[in-house]
Amino acid sequence: MNASEFFTAAKTTDLYDTYWWLAPRYFEELASRPKYLVAIESGTMLLITLIAFSGNSLICLAILRNPNLRTATNYLLFTLSATDLITACTTLTVATIVLMNGKWIVRINPLDVSSFPCKVQGILSPAFTGFSVHVMALTAINRYMCVAQQRLYNKMFSKQGTCVIVLVDAVILVGLTIFPYPTGLAKVTLDPRRAVCFTTFQQQTTAQMIGNLYLGLNVVIPLFIICLCYFRVFVAIRRNSFRVQDARFASVRVKEVRITKTVFAVLIGFLACWIPVIVCNHLSFNMVNPRFPRQGELVYTFFLSVSSAINPFIYGTTCRSLRKELLHSFHCRKTKRVKQTRAS
C-alpha cells in the first residue's frame, strides 16, 4: 500500500487525522525536489554519516589498541562512540539513501513498516538516544566519584563493574523500548519530511503515558544527575579538594581533571545538538496551519545526525591521550605504506 492508497482508505476513519504526516503531498515534495536541492541535502547527510562512521570507528579502535586507554572512564566513552557508530550504520545510512533517491528503499506500507532497515531505525533509535544519555549520567557519576569521593571510586568503577553496569542498562533500556511492538501498542511509521522512520503509538493516552515515562527515565532523571554531579565536581575542583600532598600523584590528579573537562564538553556538545531537535519536534507536532515546513523538519534530522558525529572532534581536541593514539595510528599507517611502496 502506498501513501495515496492509504489515505484513500483512511478518510473514513480517525487514521486520517492521527497520521497526518503520511499525506501524499509530503511524499511528492520529497520526490519532486530540484536536483540542486537533492545534491545539497543528500551531500550534507552523506558527509555527516561518513564523519560519524570514520570518527567513532577511530575512537573505538584507539581505545581497543592501547592498553593504557582502557580505563573505566574510557570504557564509558567507548560505549558512547560504539552507540554513535551503530547509529551511523542504521539511522544515518537509511536517511542518506532516502534523501539521495527521493523515495523509500523499497515499496512499503507507510502505516506499518515491514522493511528491516526502517524497523531497526524506528525501534532502536529511541533506545540509542536514551542509552547515550544514561551513559553520560554514568560518566558524570564516575567523574564525581573520582574527583570528590576517591576512596569509593575504585570500588564502584572498576573496569569489570563498569562493563556490567553498562550492559545491564543497555539490556533493560532496549527491552523497554521493544515491548510496545509485540503487545500491539505501537507501530513503525515513516516520515517523508524527515527521511526517517519512527515509533508511533496508536492510542493517544498510551502515547502520552509512554512518552512521559520515556521523558522521565531517559531525559529528566539523567540530566538532573548530570547537573548535580558536575556541579559538585566543579565545586570540589574550585575548593582544591582534589589536591593531594604526595607529588607523585599530582600528575595523575591533573590528568583526571582534564578527563572531567572532556566528558563535560561531550555533554555540552550533546545538548547543543539536541536542543534544536527538541524545538523542531515541538513545532512539528504543534503547528497546524501552516504545518512546519519540510526544510525545518530536515533540521531535526541533521542535528540528530550531527550529535553522532561531533564526539570524535571533542575527544581529539580535549583528550591528549586519545589524540596521541590517533596520531600514532596515522603515523604507523603512513610509515607502513611508505615501506610497502619502497619494497615494491
Side-chain angles (χ1 to χ4, degrees):
M1 182 187 294
N2 58 30
S4 298
E5 292 170 346
F6 165 74
F7 255 71
T8 300
K11 283 184 177 179
T12 58
T13 68
D14 294 336
L15 295 177
Y16 188 87
D17 295 325
T18 304
Y19 300 101
W20 52 266
W21 58 86
L22 300 178
R25 67 187 183 92
Y26 295 125
F27 290 87
E28 293 169 2
E29 285 181 5
L30 179 66
S32 61
R33 293 169 298 161
K35 291 184 179 180
Y36 77 90
L37 195 57
V38 174
I40 292 174
E41 293 177 355
S42 60
T44 302
M45 196 67 209
L46 178 62
L47 179 62
I48 296 173
T49 302
L50 292 175
I51 292 174
F53 181 82
S54 57
N56 287 295
S57 296
L58 288 173
I59 294 297
C60 292
L61 288 174
I63 295 175
L64 289 174
R65 289 180 57 178
N66 191 339
N68 294 328
L69 294 177
R70 297 173 195 167
T71 63
T73 305
N74 282 345
Y75 280 179
L76 294 171
L77 297 182
F78 173 87
T79 303
L80 277 177
S81 291
T83 303
D84 290 336
L85 182 60
I86 297 173
T87 302
C89 294
T90 53
T91 303
L92 275 59
T93 300
V94 171
T96 301
I97 295 174
V98 170
L99 289 175
M100 285 181 174
N101 293 336
K103 60 182 180 179
W104 289 92
I105 303 171
V106 294
R107 180 180 174 87
I108 55 179
N109 177 354
L111 177 61
D112 190 9
V113 175
S114 58
S115 172
F116 179 74
C118 285
K119 276 209 166 184
V120 170
Q121 184 191 71
I123 295 174
L124 294 186
S125 287
F128 291 156
T129 301
F131 182 59
S132 296
V133 180
H134 283 203
V135 173
M136 289 182 187
L138 286 172
T139 308
I141 296 172
N142 173 285
R143 292 296 86 202
Y144 168 70
M145 290 293 180
C146 181
V147 172
Q149 302 289 337
Q150 297 175 38
R151 293 182 179 178
L152 297 177
Y153 175 73
N154 291 330
K155 295 181 179 179
M156 293 188 62
F157 283 98
S158 64
K159 295 178 184 179
Q160 295 80 3
T162 301
C163 292
V164 170
I165 293 173
V166 169
L167 182 60
V168 170
D169 183 77
V171 171
I172 293 175
L173 193 54
V174 171
L176 290 175
T177 305
I178 291 177
F179 95 89
Y181 299 93
T183 59
L185 296 175
K187 292 179 179 291
V188 175
T189 62
L190 56 87
D191 191 335
R193 306 163 306 151
R194 296 178 178 179
V196 295
C197 295
F198 67 100
T199 296
T200 304
F201 293 97
Q202 301 185 66
Q203 300 294 330
Q204 185 65 30
T205 54
T206 303
Q208 188 173 10
M209 180 184 68
I210 296 181
N212 290 336
L213 179 63
Y214 182 92
L215 185 68
L217 292 177
N218 297 330
V219 179
V220 177
I221 295 176
L223 286 181
F224 174 77
I225 293 173
I226 290 169
C227 293
L228 178 62
C229 288
Y230 280 120
F231 174 76
R232 298 292 298 271
V233 165
F234 288 112
V235 167
I237 294 175
R238 190 176 182 86
R239 292 179 178 175
N240 294 323
S241 63
F242 201 45
R243 184 177 58 192
V244 293
Q245 300 298 325
D246 194 336
R248 293 176 299 174
F249 298 103
S251 61
V252 176
R253 302 311 179 200
V254 171
K255 179 181 177 181
E256 295 294 348
V257 172
R258 288 174 179 169
I259 294 174
T260 302
K261 292 179 180 178
T262 296
V263 296
F264 183 73
V266 171
L267 171 65
I268 296 300
F270 183 86
L271 293 177
C273 292
W274 273 88
I275 288 174
V277 168
I278 294 172
V279 171
C280 289
N281 196 61
H282 176 77
L283 292 174
S284 175
F285 286 93
N286 286 276
M287 289 180 61
V288 177
N289 191 18
R291 287 287 183 186
F292 200 48
R294 193 186 69 84
Q295 287 74 16
E297 298 287 353
L298 276 181
V299 170
Y300 172 97
T301 304
F302 286 145
F303 272 96
L304 182 69
S305 304
V306 169
S307 68
S308 297
I310 194 174
N311 286 346
F313 292 98
I314 296 175
Y315 301 151
T317 54
T318 61
C319 187
R320 184 178 301 176
S321 57
L322 273 175
R323 184 169 63 249
K324 287 176 64 177
E325 177 61 26
L326 292 174
L327 292 174
H328 176 70
S329 298
F330 280 120
H331 177 73
C332 290
R333 290 180 182 178
K334 184 177 179 181
T335 303
K336 185 176 180 179
R337 283 196 298 268
V338 171
K339 289 182 179 179
Q340 291 175 346
T341 303
R342 289 177 179 176
S344 60

